[in-house]
Amino acid sequence: MLKNYLTIAWRNIIRNRGYAFVNIIGLAIGIACFSLIMLYVNDELGFDKFHRKGDRIYRVALERKYPGRSRHYAIIPPGYAAAFQNDLAEVEMTCRLLYIGAGGFLLKQGENVYEEDFAIWSDSTFFDMFDIPLLKGNADDALRQPNFVVLTESSARKYFGDADPVGKVLDIVQNENDLRVTAVCADVPQNSHLRFDMIMSSSSLQFIQEPNYINFSAYTYLLTKEGADPKALEAKIPDLVVKYASGPVLRNFGVNYEEYQRQGNGYRYFLQPLRDIYLGSNLESELRPSGSKQRVHFFMAIAVLIIIIACINFMNLATARSAMRAREVGIRKTLGSPRHQIALQFLSEALLITGVAVVLAWTIDRLALPFFNQLTDKAFTVSHLLQPGFLGLMLLVMVVTGLLSGSYPAAALSAFKPLDVVRGRFASTRKGALLRNGLVVFQFGVSVFLIISTILVYRQLAFTQNKNLGFDKESLISIRVGGGFTAQKSETLKEQIRHVTGVEAVSGCSTQPGQDYFGVSFRPQGANETTTGSGILVDEGYIECMKMEIVDGRSFSEDFSDTLSIVVNEAALREMEITDPIGKTLTSNSNLFNAANDSMVAYSIVGVVKDFHFQSLHHVISPLFFIHNQRGFIPGVDNLITVRLKPGDIQGSLRNIEGLWKQAQPETPFGFAFLDREWAHLYEREMTTRRVYGFFSLLAIFIACLGLLALAAFTTEQRTKEIGIRKVLGASISGIVGLLSKDFLKLVLIALLVASPIAWYLMNQWLQGFAYRINIDWWVFVLSGAIAVLIAFLTVSFQSVKAAVMNPVESLKNE
């Protein structure tokens, strides 16, 4: 019996090739989109799931409270690791990671010098806690001693080729120390929030050996004991903070911890489950850009909507062609075929068409994989498409889609009486019309929602890219210096670059907008409360080079002795409640900016910079302090040289600057970054969302148009004789097209009314993630409605015009 069903189904497909082609293409595109999105979703949900102890590993994160605001960090003071281990019975093991930052670490092997972007330091417990397999070496000893290093498989090959690296040495360019390779580990999986090319022993760092409970720098992980309650563990941390931070707070801020909290300051430490970090954390100083649980759910919804739209298309196409099968069904029922056999016949056809569509969908996935990787910044391979889970998903989709798609035609056609079917009255029921109209409203409701949200996503991202940031990021490059550069060498290089043709300005700084700034606290003279904000070390030309606006006073200048001068932004003045700021005195509680004997040093405000965005538009502008680079972490040395280039021969200017670099530091590779591109990286998640969302939205709208085309074909088929009579009575082609189109346009307008408030609510929630955002204007909904109506009209008019130009004789002769 099944063979008979499939044989008849295949013959019907061959007989109606055009109908089958449209049906299979619509399903194949829908299934291909669904499966690719689910591949992406599965990868996002699978981050850090490979660690066997992952359900017991937590990262300790920090909410640093300031008066009237707070900031959240993925790093905490390094001293707490030992405190957690010793004072909390629930903790079995701790591990600290420290990340040096991109471009700040130079290694020499033989005659070659390499710049390491992803070098981290770690405690010796790393390989006991995390499941990164060691390929060579011993986990117990790999990070036990100072200056030990573990290379990943890729970095070992980079430094030593095919030779065994264990026991060999890498020279650190910045100092006299050598790193001894003790082991080689596997490359970090792509689906891990950890990111490194080498791990050095944390015991190499002198500062980390000193107890520190207020300056945060370490990613700190806890492995809890079996059965430990993380909530109970987290509840014990505040008492631990009081125990260990009270002394440093009193020494550095001059108040006891209770008063410190009363002023609005404080530290709240909380636990993040390892497997939730990638999707559930978006803190400052993350090891790698985080994902978004909201985005994953959003893409899952898109995938489900696309597959539902594809199923609806199948049903509408089957219904539109049902008149061709009416007499077949009537004769079958007259000859005694029971209803379930007829239903099985249509379900068999649906499953066969779906099966062909699934095979085609897998082929589409295979061909689209490189494009999809580029779209999503992933690295999927054909092996992912051959995994049992993916193939099982495709099989499940085939069965479920086939049953869902074929259920309505099977139920509708098999339910009619033979006499009604033969007479062709099976499709005229009010119930069937309401169902089909409801499906069209649903499809175009989804389409309208996608059009509205796509417009808003594109507008917000355009806003973030084009908003006046308070500085000019165009034609700016940053050159990272660091190891090997003395103060004199850095100043000499800057002076040489100033004379390069095409260079407009040169300056030095410790960081750039969009990067991490260090924390610093200042107290106005006579005030009781300390204001904590971000700090940046700059030279005399930085503010002018960045084209920032001075709204009061002046910037640093060689005409003055600015060692004890400070420039602040407007947000700092507002928070410190300072008026007439020029000449006002600030003192810092940090020993980084005070005398060697810890006595307070007074800094005088000499200028105020107009507020500018030194963080992404996700964050409100907070207090910022410009400190002259003669007093800082490394006096007189710039971490970055910032160069503003004149429009014109930018490549030629870069070649000349590179030549000067090679003269000054021939053993170090020349590297630079355009600030506008670095700024764009702050919105990588949103850009990925925009690309994926826009592409799949277009496909969803295309599939919905196929459904509308199907219903238009169905309606014109049902009204063929009416059209013929109207033409005989003198109706014009435009009149008939309008008659056939207006009912569909009404459905699209209903879809617009239903989808608009839903789109407004969901997109308003998404925009709340930006501190600076666009308004949702009324014209977006009008434009989206106009686009939807135009798409619907063009789709429907194809069938309408086809029916309107038909010869009336052809329409009426089959009566």
Side-chain angles (χ1 to χ4, degrees):
M1 183 65 71
L2 179 60
K3 180 180 178 181
N4 182 53
Y5 289 154
L6 294 176
T7 301
I8 295 173
W10 181 252
R11 288 173 180 172
N12 280 316
I13 291 173
I14 296 301
R15 187 181 304 115
N16 301 287
R17 294 182 182 87
Y19 151 74
F21 175 78
V22 173
N23 219 340
I24 291 172
I25 288 296
L27 273 177
I29 293 175
I31 294 171
C33 292
F34 175 83
S35 56
L36 279 179
I37 293 176
M38 293 310 294
L39 184 67
Y40 171 86
V41 166
N42 183 66
D43 185 74
E44 292 285 286
L45 294 176
F47 265 69
D48 295 308
K49 295 291 178 65
F50 58 89
H51 298 288
R52 289 171 295 176
K53 302 173 185 175
D55 59 332
R56 295 192 289 130
I57 300 175
Y58 298 85
R59 186 177 71 181
V60 186
L62 167 65
E63 178 190 5
R64 174 62 167 95
K65 297 180 180 179
Y66 306 110
R69 62 187 176 88
S70 62
R71 295 173 70 174
H72 295 77
Y73 295 92
I75 51 178
I76 70 169
Y80 279 112
F84 293 143
Q85 179 81 67
N86 298 329
D87 293 20
L88 301 177
E90 294 89 346
V91 176
E92 178 179 323
M93 183 190 306
T94 64
C95 183
R96 295 170 300 180
L97 304 179
L98 292 97
Y99 175 50
I100 194 171
F105 199 66
L106 298 175
L107 291 175
K108 187 174 183 180
Q109 204 286 313
E111 298 301 319
N112 299 317
V113 175
Y114 301 88
E115 188 176 69
E116 274 299 339
D117 287 337
F118 300 110
I120 66 172
W121 284 271
S122 173
D123 294 336
S124 60
T125 53
F126 180 87
F127 293 103
D128 294 324
M129 184 176 291
F130 300 105
D131 287 313
I132 306 294
L134 277 186
L135 306 180
K136 295 178 181 179
N138 187 330
D140 293 333
D141 300 325
L143 297 170
R144 188 70 62 186
Q145 300 295 326
N147 299 322
F148 279 7
V149 63
V150 177
L151 303 179
T152 62
E153 186 176 12
S154 295
S155 59
R157 190 176 300 112
K158 177 177 74 173
Y159 288 112
F160 300 101
D162 295 330
D164 184 357
V166 175
K168 292 185 169 59
V169 171
L170 292 171
D171 298 326
I172 302 176
V173 174
Q174 285 94 329
N175 54 51
E176 299 299 324
N177 294 328
D178 295 332
L179 294 175
R180 183 170 297 279
V181 180
T182 58
V184 176
C185 68
D187 290 340
V188 183
Q190 288 291 322
N191 58 346
S192 172
H193 86 283
L194 300 174
R195 196 178 184 189
F196 60 85
D197 291 324
M198 60 169 51
I199 313 177
M200 296 166 288
S201 51
S202 60
S203 57
S204 308
L205 302 172
Q206 185 59 40
F207 80 90
I208 203 175
Q209 312 307 321
E210 304 293 332
N212 185 329
Y213 302 101
I214 59 174
N215 296 322
F216 26 99
S217 58
Y219 302 91
T220 303
Y221 297 83
L222 310 178
L223 176 65
T224 60
K225 294 179 180 178
E226 294 280 0
D229 182 0
K231 291 184 178 179
L233 171 60
E234 193 173 66
K236 295 180 179 180
I237 297 179
D239 292 336
L240 206 67
V241 174
V242 173
K243 176 181 177 180
Y244 287 98
S246 294
V249 165
L250 182 61
R251 287 193 301 272
N252 287 350
F253 300 105
V255 295
N256 60 42
Y257 196 75
E258 184 178 347
E259 176 65 17
Y260 188 65
Q261 288 182 307
R262 191 194 66 76
Q263 293 175 358
N265 295 292
Y267 309 90
R268 183 181 73 87
Y269 295 92
F270 55 97
L271 302 182
Q272 296 179 299
L274 176 69
R275 293 169 178 171
D276 293 345
I277 289 175
Y278 176 70
L279 289 181
S281 177
N282 187 25
L283 310 179
E284 293 189 52
S285 303
E286 292 281 1
L287 270 171
R288 67 175 294 169
S290 298
S292 167
K293 193 174 294 184
Q294 181 188 43
R295 181 175 60 186
V296 169
H297 292 161
F298 201 60
F299 285 169
M300 289 176 68
I302 291 289
V304 172
L305 289 174
I306 286 176
I307 201 70
I308 290 175
I309 289 174
C311 291
I312 290 173
N313 284 355
F314 189 106
M315 288 188 281
N316 278 340
L317 283 167
T319 305
R321 299 294 301 178
S322 58
M324 307 293 291
R325 309 287 298 277
R327 288 177 175 80
E328 174 193 340
V329 174
I331 293 171
R332 281 175 175 270
K333 297 197 77 171
T334 302
L335 295 176
S337 292
R339 179 179 177 181
H340 73 272
Q341 285 189 358
I342 297 174
L344 286 173
Q345 176 64 57
F346 284 100
L347 285 175
S348 299
E349 293 183 19
L351 286 169
L352 182 60
I353 290 175
T354 308
V356 175
V358 164
V359 174
L360 182 58
W362 190 93
T363 305
I364 293 173
D365 287 345
R366 170 67 184 86
L367 297 174
L369 208 54
F371 170 74
F372 187 69
N373 285 335
Q374 184 179 6
L375 200 67
T376 59
D377 293 324
K378 294 290 186 181
F380 296 121
T381 63
V382 178
S383 62
H384 288 90
L385 303 183
L386 296 173
Q387 290 178 351
F390 186 83
L391 296 177
L393 175 68
M394 298 289 276
L395 180 62
L396 179 64
V397 168
M398 183 188 78
V399 174
V400 174
T401 304
L403 293 176
L404 287 176
S405 302
S407 60
Y408 173 67
L413 286 173
S414 63
F416 287 97
K417 298 177 182 179
L419 185 59
D420 290 335
V421 173
V422 171
R423 289 178 175 176
R425 293 202 295 265
F426 62 94
S428 58
T429 63
R430 179 177 179 82
K431 183 178 179 181
L434 287 174
L435 176 61
R436 288 188 295 274
N437 291 342
L439 294 177
V440 170
V441 170
F442 175 83
Q443 284 185 310
F444 265 81
V446 172
S447 300
V448 168
F449 169 79
L450 294 175
I451 293 170
I452 293 172
S453 52
T454 299
I455 291 174
L456 292 175
V457 168
Y458 272 73
R459 285 191 64 219
Q460 175 62 27
L461 291 181
F463 174 76
T464 62
Q465 296 298 310
N466 300 321
K467 185 180 186 300
N468 183 0
L469 300 174
F471 65 94
D472 185 0
K473 67 180 186 298
E474 305 301 325
S475 301
L476 272 178
I477 65 168
S478 293
I479 305 169
R480 185 171 294 278
V481 288
F485 272 84
T486 62
Q488 184 59 46
K489 202 171 187 178
S490 178
E491 290 299 323
T492 300
L493 180 59
K494 285 193 292 184
E495 186 61 32
Q496 289 174 336
I497 293 176
R498 285 190 180 95
H499 293 90
V500 171
T501 303
V503 170
E504 181 177 336
V506 180
S507 68
C509 61
S510 60
T511 190
Q512 284 285 43
Q515 300 173 355
D516 289 335
Y517 287 65
F518 57 84
V520 63
S521 299
F522 284 97
R523 179 186 298 174
Q525 185 176 21
N528 294 322
E529 295 186 356
T530 296
T531 294
T532 302
S534 300
I536 177 175
L537 304 177
V538 302
D539 67 4
E540 293 82 1
Y542 179 76
I543 293 173
E544 290 76 13
C545 182
M546 298 296 291
K547 295 189 177 179
M548 297 171 182
E549 181 181 347
I550 292 287
V551 295
D552 197 1
R554 62 175 177 83
S555 62
F556 297 125
S557 171
E558 294 180 352
D559 298 332
F560 299 88
S561 177
D562 280 327
T563 303
L564 297 180
S565 299
I566 194 168
V567 176
V568 300
N569 68 348
E570 294 173 306
L573 296 183
R574 288 193 298 270
E575 187 150 323
M576 292 187 291
E577 298 180 349
I578 293 178
T579 56
D580 298 324
I582 304 304
K584 293 288 176 66
T585 299
L586 302 179
T587 57
S588 175
N589 295 309
S590 172
N591 56 13
L592 293 171
F593 302 106
N594 287 318
N597 60 3
D598 289 336
S599 61
M600 293 290 185
V601 175
Y603 289 80
S604 177
I605 299 177
V606 298
V608 179
V609 170
K610 184 178 180 63
D611 279 343
F612 68 96
H613 294 277
F614 59 92
Q615 294 174 295
S616 76
L617 269 63
H618 291 283
H619 303 282
V620 175
I621 297 175
S622 57
L624 179 64
F625 301 90
F626 294 82
I627 298 116
H628 195 270
N629 67 356
Q630 295 303 312
R631 294 184 67 85
F633 298 119
I634 309 176
V637 178
D638 307 306
N639 292 328
L640 295 171
I641 294 177
T642 301
V643 181
R644 180 172 295 282
L645 300 174
K646 297 177 182 177
D649 187 14
I650 290 180
Q651 293 301 320
S653 300
L654 288 174
R655 284 193 296 270
N656 291 333
I657 294 173
E658 182 178 7
L660 294 175
W661 174 276
K662 289 180 177 179
Q663 292 176 20
Q665 195 79 354
E667 70 277 11
T668 306
F670 174 70
F672 67 91
F674 282 97
L675 185 58
D676 56 349
R677 296 177 187 174
E678 294 295 305
W679 186 263
H681 289 163
L682 298 176
Y683 305 99
E684 281 184 359
R685 289 193 310 170
E686 287 78 13
M687 297 298 287
T688 299
T689 300
R690 185 183 77 171
R691 293 193 301 267
V692 176
Y693 189 76
F695 177 72
F696 285 108
S697 294
L698 288 175
L699 288 180
I701 293 169
F702 171 74
I703 298 171
C705 288
L706 286 180
L708 190 62
L709 183 67
L711 195 56
F714 173 80
T715 302
T716 53
E717 186 176 32
Q718 294 302 109
R719 302 178 70 174
T720 299
K721 294 178 179 61
E722 176 192 345
I723 294 169
I725 293 171
R726 287 180 178 274
K727 290 198 69 176
V728 169
L729 295 177
S732 65
I733 292 177
S734 60
I736 293 174
V737 170
L739 176 71
L740 295 174
S741 301
K742 68 177 182 179
D743 291 336
F744 295 107
L745 298 183
K746 289 178 183 177
L747 298 178
V748 174
L749 291 175
I750 293 172
L752 176 63
L753 294 176
V754 172
S756 294
I758 297 173
W760 178 88
Y761 174 78
L762 292 178
M763 295 310 298
N764 187 59
Q765 293 296 110
W766 178 73
L767 287 170
Q768 297 307 310
F770 294 86
Y772 302 90
R773 50 189 176 268
I774 61 170
N775 294 317
I776 302 180
D777 298 315
W778 60 268
W779 63 262
V780 173
F781 300 94
V782 174
L783 176 61
S784 301
I787 293 173
V789 169
L790 178 62
I791 291 172
F793 179 76
L794 293 176
T795 303
V796 172
S797 63
F798 173 78
Q799 286 292 340
S800 301
V801 171
K802 182 180 176 181
V805 299
M806 185 183 295
N807 190 329
V809 176
E810 297 295 328
S811 304
L812 298 173
K813 71 179 181 179
N814 293 324
E815 181 62 50

